[in-house]
Amino acid sequence: MNLNRFYKVGQQVTVKPTHRADLQGDPATGIVVEVLPTNKIRIAWCDGQVFAVEPHAPYMWRFNVG
């Protein structure tokens, strides 16, 4: 799957309102900084962390991208 069709550098990542209480210290917002060829996106989170995740992984179910 080519993620470049769905995700773009600069897209906002925000927690879904229904999951705000589920964060348990995880950051609530971020920005897509890279779309990787390994079907992952690299996100710079508001707390300074930068890491790559699979957009459809269970961790990301709590967030909207775009």
Side-chain angles (χ1 to χ4, degrees), residues 4 38 46 61:
N4 288 316
T38 58
C46 62
W61 292 347

Side-chain angles (χ1 to χ4, degrees), residues 34-56:
E34 186 177 8
V35 179
L36 302 168
T38 58
N39 289 332
K40 293 184 177 184
I41 56 175
R42 189 174 311 277
I43 300 172
W45 295 98
C46 62
D47 65 355
Q49 296 182 69
V50 178
F51 60 89
V53 295
E54 291 184 18
H56 303 292

Side-chain angles (χ1 to χ4, degrees), residues 4-24:
N4 288 316
R5 293 177 42 208
F6 304 103
Y7 302 100
K8 303 289 182 205
V9 171
Q11 284 182 309
Q12 293 291 319
V13 180
T14 56
V15 68
K16 294 176 181 174
T18 55
H19 289 276
R20 188 163 295 279
D22 299 341
L23 287 176
Q24 300 176 347

Side-chain angles (χ1 to χ4, degrees), residues 21-32:
D22 299 341
L23 287 176
Q24 300 176 347
D26 287 342
T29 61
I31 190 165
V32 176

